């Protein structure tokens, strides 16, 4: 395996920061938890984790092929990741109080329905698409990636959102509607924005 523990740790940290930014998955998880309890949200969370796996594998295989043909793209993608993380962080801070829309269809009962709702929420989430297809190369050198590396990336891509969303559902189940407070969401957005900018700085200073 060519990946280092520090690379995987930074990647996991960035995934966690992305999890902290409120969006469709947060709303879907909170809605199902408030309606049916946190255990009922597990199928949705599994759907989200599977969607994260799909995006990460598409990014690794697709971008690794491109980088193999044009090695210079690896450097360009890394600096694009720095710029995008910094911009996303700044925008989160700038528009921290902006509300996000909910989708009542994500709240229907049933395990299979919940799984499909979670899968749909992550596959159609622009934040996830941008992260995996545009930012993942900022963490790894895809020109020398191995099967063990791909497995490690896939496992981290599944574990972080699954654990994060499960913990969030558990908290919502106990705190009920406190997490829907505009003031709390604004505060979370500001913290997440600062952390995203910090990720950009770390990638920039560790880039070869």
């Amino acid at each position: 395996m060519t990946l280092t523990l520090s690379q995987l740790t930074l990647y996991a940290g960035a995934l966690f920061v992305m999890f902290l930014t409120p969006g469709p998955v947060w709303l879907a998880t909170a809605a199902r938890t408030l309606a049916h309890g946190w255990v009922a949200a597990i199928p949705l969370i599994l759907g989200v984790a599977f969607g994260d796996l799909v995006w990460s594998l598409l990014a690794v295989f697709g971008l690794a092929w491109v980088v193999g043909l044009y090695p210079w793209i690896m450097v360009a993608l890394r600096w694009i990741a720095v710029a995008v993380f910094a911009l996303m962080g700044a925008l989160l801070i700038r528009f921290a109080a902006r509300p996000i829309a909910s989708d009542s269809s994500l709240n229907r009962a049933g395990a299979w329905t919940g799984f499909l709702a979670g899968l749909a929420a992550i596959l159609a989430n622009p934040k996830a698409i941008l992260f995996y297809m545009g930012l993942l190369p900022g963490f790894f050198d895809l020109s020398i990636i191995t099967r063990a590396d791909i497995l490690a990336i896939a496992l981290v891509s599944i574990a972080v959102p699954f654990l994060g969303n499960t913990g969030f559902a558990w908290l919502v189940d106990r705190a009920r509607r406190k997490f829907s407070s505009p003031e709390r969401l604004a505060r979370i957005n500001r913290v997440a924005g600062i952390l995203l900018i910090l990720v950009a700085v770390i990638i920039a200073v560790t880039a070869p």
Side-chain angles (χ1 to χ4, degrees):
M1 190 167 80
T2 66
L3 300 184
T4 65
L5 181 60
S6 61
Q7 285 177 303
L8 289 173
T9 301
L10 179 59
Y11 176 63
L15 271 174
F16 183 71
V17 172
M18 295 297 289
F19 154 76
L20 286 177
T21 59
V25 173
W26 262 46
L27 286 171
T29 303
R32 291 188 68 82
T33 301
L34 290 170
H36 311 294
W38 76 273
V39 175
I42 295 299
L44 182 141
I45 293 169
L46 288 172
V48 171
F50 183 77
D52 280 300
L53 172 64
V54 171
W55 276 127
S56 65
L57 292 179
L58 285 176
V60 168
F61 285 115
L63 293 174
W65 178 76
V66 174
V67 169
L69 294 177
Y70 308 100
W72 59 268
I73 290 181
M74 192 68 248
V75 177
L77 288 174
R78 181 173 287 109
W79 286 105
I80 289 173
V82 170
V84 173
F85 266 117
L87 179 60
M88 288 176 65
L91 290 175
L92 269 176
I93 296 171
R94 172 68 178 81
F95 300 105
R98 181 179 56 187
I100 47 180
S102 60
D103 183 353
S104 61
S105 66
L106 300 178
N107 193 28
R108 295 172 184 167
W112 181 241
T113 301
F115 179 86
L116 293 178
L119 183 61
I122 194 65
L123 291 182
N125 187 352
K127 183 176 68 175
I129 298 170
L130 177 64
F131 180 84
Y132 288 112
M133 303 307 292
L135 303 181
L136 186 146
F139 300 95
F140 312 113
D141 185 350
L142 298 182
S143 63
I144 58 172
I145 203 164
T146 67
R147 290 182 179 178
D149 296 331
I150 295 173
L151 177 61
I153 293 172
L155 289 175
V156 172
S157 299
I158 293 174
V160 172
F162 177 80
L163 294 175
N165 286 315
T166 301
F168 175 66
W170 185 84
L171 288 174
V172 169
D173 195 37
R174 279 146 184 78
R176 304 304 292 173
R177 298 188 181 273
K178 289 182 180 179
F179 280 91
S180 63
S181 163
E183 293 79 11
R184 289 177 182 271
L185 290 179
R187 193 178 305 122
I188 291 170
N189 271 332
R190 292 189 185 97
V191 172
I194 293 171
L195 292 175
L196 284 176
I197 293 173
L198 180 60
V199 170
V201 171
I202 293 174
I203 293 175
V205 299
T206 57

